[in-house]
Amino acid sequence: MNRIFSGVQPTGNLHLGNYLGAIRNWVGLQAEYDCIYCIVDLHAITVWQNPAELRAQTREVAAAFLAAGIDGRKHIIFNQSRVPGHAQLAWICNCVARLGWLNRMTQFKEKAGKDRENASVGLYAYPNLMAADILLYKATHVPVGEDQKQHLELARDIAQKFNADFGVELFPLPEPLIFGPATRVMSLRDGTKKMSKSDASDYSRINMTDDADAVALKIRKAKTDPQPLPGPECLGPDGKVAPEAMAARPEAFNLLGIYAALADKDLNTVIGEFAGKEFSVFKQVLTDLAVATLGKIGGEMKRLMADPAEIDAILKDGAERARAKSAPILAEVEEAVGFLRV
Ligand code: AQP
């Protein structure tokens, strides 16, 4: 059976982008794949995390997985630091990957910003750890948002170079799985920036645990423009929204994209449905749909987090099974590299 690996960082404020761009899609993959869903706490500490909050945030992500419908008994849910193989294989990936490859990673440039010299070495080497996460289980498919495509390419390059350097066919080349209309959910305050956990403004995102009033308020305050909603005239000859139309009204298309994803409809259908309508009307419909979808999940997350015993048991069991699955693969890697294993 093909195997999925994917992860979410426990960096707090899980939001609609994490849900529509990742977690929701992962739920649907369970029927077809052997799934390993990881709370990547080693990745999280590449930027400063308050230790007490990190623990709570780790449980929050586990709660989101479970509440969204991931089956932690049939598949695997665990936190990365419980399986030392991730760090061990990451070191080997550090020695396989080339500096030039990492220098091209756009996410490091964005996250390190102008203060590059002060960024952690971990943030720079982050893509190598991500490669190790995937390769440690010989995952064949990785569901990723647009923003992670470059890192997955790097994981493929590392797998290929490892196989070539050591003359083995050890790692399969992992394939990306990219999903529908809400692959990239943008900030509610600025349609050109992605919705993000670390945005200073809570009004930029809808959190998975926001209650109905908070969701309504954030959608009401979401940035728009003075024109009514766009219609089919915004579509280009290829039937997709023309790039100029998108660039001219990023907030409008972001909200339409969110609606399409929540309603499980094609973006063009949604554009046809709301063509020429006022934002006030559309925002009310969007609010009702967002509350109906997220309300149930957020409620279940709060229930699980109130008594973490259930979450902790799932994580403990998941980590044990992840260690068991990864151990023979790590042994094969060590054998290929030439580590003496007495
Ligand atoms: N805005 C988004 N739209 C669609 N998908 C998104 N993802 C994140 N933001 C969006 C997807 O969620 C998964 C988990 O992301 P992550 O925890 O690894 O961190 P990230 O991509 O760095 O997410 P954030 O929310 O922007 O966190 P910060 O602010 O900490 O950097 C991934 O599959 C990601 O694609």
Side-chain angles (χ1 to χ4, degrees):
M1 194 184 218
N2 284 328
R3 181 172 287 169
I4 295 277
F5 181 95
S6 205
V8 172
Q9 297 188 68
T11 39
N13 302 326
L14 272 185
H15 54 73
L16 188 66
N18 298 130
Y19 177 65
L20 292 177
I23 301 171
R24 186 181 71 161
N25 302 322
W26 300 1
V27 175
L29 295 170
Q30 296 178 102
E32 229 185 296
Y33 295 88
D34 171 27
C35 300
I36 303 173
Y37 295 133
C38 187
I39 302 154
V40 288
D41 46 11
L42 298 179
H43 284 279
I45 63 160
T46 54
V47 295
W48 168 252
Q49 301 298 326
N50 173 300
E53 284 171 18
L54 181 62
R55 274 186 278 275
Q57 288 161 191
T58 300
R59 289 191 175 114
E60 185 197 18
V61 178
F65 287 177
L66 296 169
I70 292 171
D71 183 342
R73 296 289 179 191
K74 188 155 176 247
H75 297 275
I76 291 182
I77 297 177
F78 73 108
N79 58 315
Q80 192 183 21
S81 59
R82 297 304 83 217
V83 180
H86 288 264
Q88 286 170 270
L89 186 54
W91 181 257
I92 296 171
C93 290
N94 282 343
C95 300
V96 173
R98 306 289 93 181
L99 273 182
W101 300 358
L102 286 183
N103 286 340
R104 286 196 288 275
M105 296 296 115
T106 54
Q107 198 179 75
F108 174 74
K109 290 177 192 153
E110 280 160 24
K111 292 209 169 178
K114 290 198 181 76
D115 200 10
R116 228 179 124 109
E117 294 294 309
N118 208 23
S120 73
V121 175
L123 188 67
Y124 184 73
Y126 179 115
N128 292 347
L129 176 59
M130 179 169 154
D133 298 339
I134 299 163
L135 302 178
L136 185 61
Y137 302 93
K138 294 191 181 177
T140 54
H141 293 82
V142 182
V144 285
E146 268 312 315
D147 54 325
Q148 291 292 333
K149 261 166 84 176
Q150 197 187 28
H151 289 168
L152 188 63
E153 268 309 313
L154 185 99
R156 289 168 59 91
D157 290 343
I158 291 176
Q160 210 154 20
K161 186 168 185 324
F162 181 95
N163 288 346
D165 285 355
F166 295 103
V168 289
E169 280 303 317
L170 208 157
F171 294 126
L173 300 190
E175 299 283 342
L177 289 176
I178 305 246
F179 291 86
T183 308
R184 199 165 161 85
V185 178
M186 309 309 278
S187 157
L188 298 182
R189 309 300 296 161
D190 176 352
T192 62
K193 265 173 55 187
K194 84 164 186 160
M195 187 177 283
S196 161
K197 300 189 201 99
S198 53
D199 195 312
S201 167
D202 200 47
Y203 284 100
S204 67
R205 63 183 162 259
I206 296 177
N207 297 312
M208 286 183 73
T209 48
D210 278 345
D211 61 20
D213 288 345
V215 172
L217 182 65
K218 287 176 179 179
I219 294 180
R220 205 162 54 239
K221 281 184 169 285
K223 186 175 170 200
T224 50
D225 54 50
Q227 299 166 59
L229 283 149
E233 72 285 349
C234 68
L235 303 177
D238 59 355
K240 293 187 181 148
V241 176
E244 322 78 77
M246 183 75 84
R249 306 187 66 189
E251 286 83 16
F253 286 106
N254 183 37
L255 293 180
L256 285 164
I258 292 175
Y259 182 88
L262 284 169
D264 229 339
K265 288 183 182 172
D266 178 75
L267 181 60
N268 288 9
T269 311
V270 172
I271 290 173
E273 231 173 274
F274 292 99
K277 296 237 163 66
E278 294 304 321
F279 273 106
S280 54
V281 176
F282 172 65
K283 280 184 167 181
Q284 187 53 55
V285 186
L286 176 60
T287 299
D288 293 345
L289 184 59
V291 168
T293 312
L294 286 184
K296 264 196 279 172
I297 298 173
E300 177 62 2
M301 281 174 71
K302 285 178 191 151
R303 185 193 71 77
L304 286 162
M305 287 188 291
D307 174 13
E310 194 177 331
I311 295 176
D312 292 358
I314 298 257
L315 289 176
K316 186 164 188 284
D317 172 60
E320 272 163 25
R321 288 186 291 130
R323 279 195 293 270
K325 262 195 209 291
S326 59
I329 298 171
L330 191 59
E332 260 186 273
V333 173
E334 291 188 333
E335 203 59 52
V337 172
F339 290 159
L340 179 64
R341 304 180 69 247
V342 286

